[in-house]
Amino acid sequence: MVDRIPTNLRTLLILEVLGTSDRALSPTEINQSIGLPKQTIHRLCAKLEQEGFLAREEDGKKLRPTRRSRLMASGLLHASRHHIARHQVMQRVADEVGETVNFVVPDSEGMIYVDRVETDWPFRVQLPVGTHVPFHCTASGKTFLASLAPKARQAMVRSLQLKDFTSNTLCTEDALLAELKQVAKNGYAFDREEWFIGMVAMAVPILDERRRYVASLAFHGPVQRLTYEDAWSKRQVLIDGARLMRDVLFEQSTGSVAQVTSTRPRSA
């Protein structure tokens, strides 16, 4: 009986339904998976909205998780045992590519660095955990944008301020959309000194068991040491790392961390 569901568990079930959906939902749609009385589901949704866990879409009917909910989810993931395994995968990838590796997720202010493994090189680009970077001119941001369905991708691009950071920045909607279409096809993205001169980066999406975007796995380095061609040659290391990251985060392990391999010998 639904009446026997504890009150504190009901709100968690609401957040779970929204967290596993790829779109905003109305209270009635949320309730299709829970089965609470109509008045109860509307009251609980209103309370979650009042406390800042949910927000209304522009139509005023459907609800989506807010930044507070996303930070809570990110914090739970960070605090779990998966954080250790995730970091170990990042360390293996960093050893292979020889540059700083980042775990990056989308946030309302841009992509945010949640975890990282620094390169041992004394000369490196410093982007500490907690740094926000733009969506449109970073490799991690492009992988997120490219993961959206075409119509949602176009709407998102139209909402962005396509600021011109360097002469390489894609500053028009058409140019960025064309790039994102190619990223979606290839499965990886580059930052060719588009955010600032002197840095090259590459990123791939980390997908869950339903092939939904979760985060970006990326590496970056100064152009004096890492060229675009160098980054491209290491793409398979990043792709394999993202697949293993999926297994680690969603416990679909089909192998070990040692499966992360490079397509070229590591330089001494």
Side-chain angles (χ1 to χ4, degrees):
M1 295 289 292
V2 296
D3 289 341
R4 295 178 181 175
I5 302 176
T7 302
N8 55 352
L9 180 58
R10 295 175 185 182
T11 56
L12 290 176
L13 291 176
I14 292 171
L15 292 174
E16 181 183 43
V17 171
L18 280 168
T20 55
S21 174
D22 59 358
R23 61 185 180 88
L25 300 173
S26 67
T28 300
E29 290 173 322
I30 294 172
N31 206 32
Q32 289 175 359
S33 301
I34 303 175
L36 293 170
K38 183 178 180 181
Q39 289 183 338
T40 300
I41 191 70
H42 281 273
R43 175 175 56 80
L44 291 174
C45 286
K47 184 63 175 177
L48 286 169
E49 183 182 2
Q50 178 183 345
E51 295 297 326
F53 288 99
L54 302 179
R56 297 268 175 186
E57 291 285 82
E58 288 76 7
D59 61 10
K61 298 178 181 179
K62 297 188 176 183
L63 295 162
R64 58 174 173 78
T66 62
R67 184 171 185 268
R68 184 176 185 182
S69 293
R70 295 194 300 273
L71 287 175
M72 178 180 69
S74 177
L76 290 171
L77 183 61
H78 183 84
S80 73
R81 59 185 173 80
H82 292 137
H83 168 66
I84 299 173
R86 181 187 74 199
H87 198 80
Q88 288 298 308
V89 174
M90 293 173 63
Q91 184 65 64
R92 291 296 184 106
V93 174
D95 289 344
E96 290 291 333
V97 300
E99 297 292 346
T100 297
V101 173
N102 305 291
F103 185 85
V104 199
V105 299
D107 189 48
S108 57
E109 298 177 28
M111 301 297 292
I112 184 170
Y113 285 75
V114 174
D115 196 6
R116 69 189 295 107
V117 173
E118 291 280 6
T119 178
D120 291 332
W121 292 101
F123 179 50
R124 58 195 180 196
V125 180
Q126 294 282 4
L127 295 171
V129 169
T131 298
H132 281 90
V133 298
F135 291 111
H136 70 290
C137 57
T138 58
S140 58
K142 289 181 193 176
T143 57
F144 163 63
L145 294 175
S147 73
L148 302 174
K151 287 186 178 180
R153 186 190 306 162
Q154 187 175 34
M156 178 67 79
V157 168
R158 287 178 176 172
S159 74
L160 298 177
Q161 181 183 4
L162 303 181
K163 185 176 178 180
D164 184 358
F165 287 94
T166 76
S167 59
N168 294 336
T169 307
L170 300 177
C171 299
T172 67
E173 292 180 8
D174 289 344
L176 181 56
L177 287 170
E179 171 87 351
L180 297 177
K181 184 177 180 180
Q182 191 63 44
V183 169
K185 179 180 179 180
N186 292 340
Y188 51 81
F190 290 99
D191 170 0
R192 305 175 183 86
E193 298 185 79
E194 297 165 49
W195 184 29
F196 62 83
I197 295 296
M199 186 188 80
V200 169
M202 182 182 182
V204 298
I206 299 170
L207 308 176
D208 68 9
E209 72 277 10
R210 299 181 186 178
R211 296 196 60 76
R212 299 176 301 182
Y213 175 90
V214 175
S216 294
L217 183 64
F219 70 86
H220 68 260
V223 295
Q224 292 87 344
R225 187 172 63 243
L226 181 70
T227 66
Y228 162 71
E229 290 77 15
D230 289 336
W232 185 84
S233 71
K234 298 173 181 177
R235 66 193 182 283
Q236 195 60 47
V237 180
L238 211 54
I239 291 170
D240 290 344
R243 288 172 180 165
L244 186 53
M245 191 79 76
R246 175 199 62 198
D247 295 340
V248 165
L249 296 180
F250 300 100
E251 297 184 347
Q252 290 186 347
S253 181
T254 56
S256 66
V257 174
Q259 288 178 312
V260 181
T261 57
S262 176
T263 57
R264 61 183 290 185
R266 230 175 107 195
S267 57

